[in-house]
Amino acid sequence: VSGAEPFCPELRKLLAEAIKEWKIKYALEQYSKGEFSLGQACESAEVSVWDFPELLKKYKVSINYDEEELEEDLKAIRG
């Protein structure tokens, strides 16, 4: 489009949404392979541990959570 700014607000928004979606899909993929713990996947996807189960449901990814991950997450919560 002639006269359009190189990075107009609409394009920036579209790119930001695409990056956010990629981060979520990457985190879900790594989580489903067992490469990321729940906490790591949440951090990578930039979502809370409370929102992550909704993403698992939306993308039909099984919960991959064991006792070791529970201990790791509890330690992180406690500081």
Side-chain angles (χ1 to χ4, degrees):
V1 177
S2 63
E5 294 180 29
F7 287 96
C8 62
E10 294 84 10
L11 183 56
R12 286 179 192 259
K13 183 178 178 184
L14 181 62
L15 287 171
E17 289 173 3
I19 291 168
K20 181 178 180 180
E21 186 70 20
W22 179 85
K23 286 180 178 182
I24 288 169
K25 288 182 178 180
Y26 177 76
L28 288 168
E29 179 183 337
Q30 296 305 305
Y31 177 80
S32 70
K33 291 179 180 178
E35 298 293 323
F36 281 179
S37 68
L38 176 67
Q40 290 169 322
C42 292
E43 186 176 327
S44 178
E46 298 179 352
V47 298
S48 74
V49 293
W50 307 112
D51 292 335
F52 197 73
E54 287 300 317
L55 293 174
L56 293 173
K57 183 178 177 182
K58 178 180 178 181
Y59 291 96
K60 298 181 173 132
V61 175
S62 299
I63 293 175
N64 183 14
Y65 199 72
D66 60 22
E67 190 175 334
E68 182 178 323
E69 285 183 299
L70 174 62
E71 290 297 323
E72 179 182 316
D73 291 337
L74 288 173
K75 285 179 186 175
I77 291 169
R78 293 178 186 139

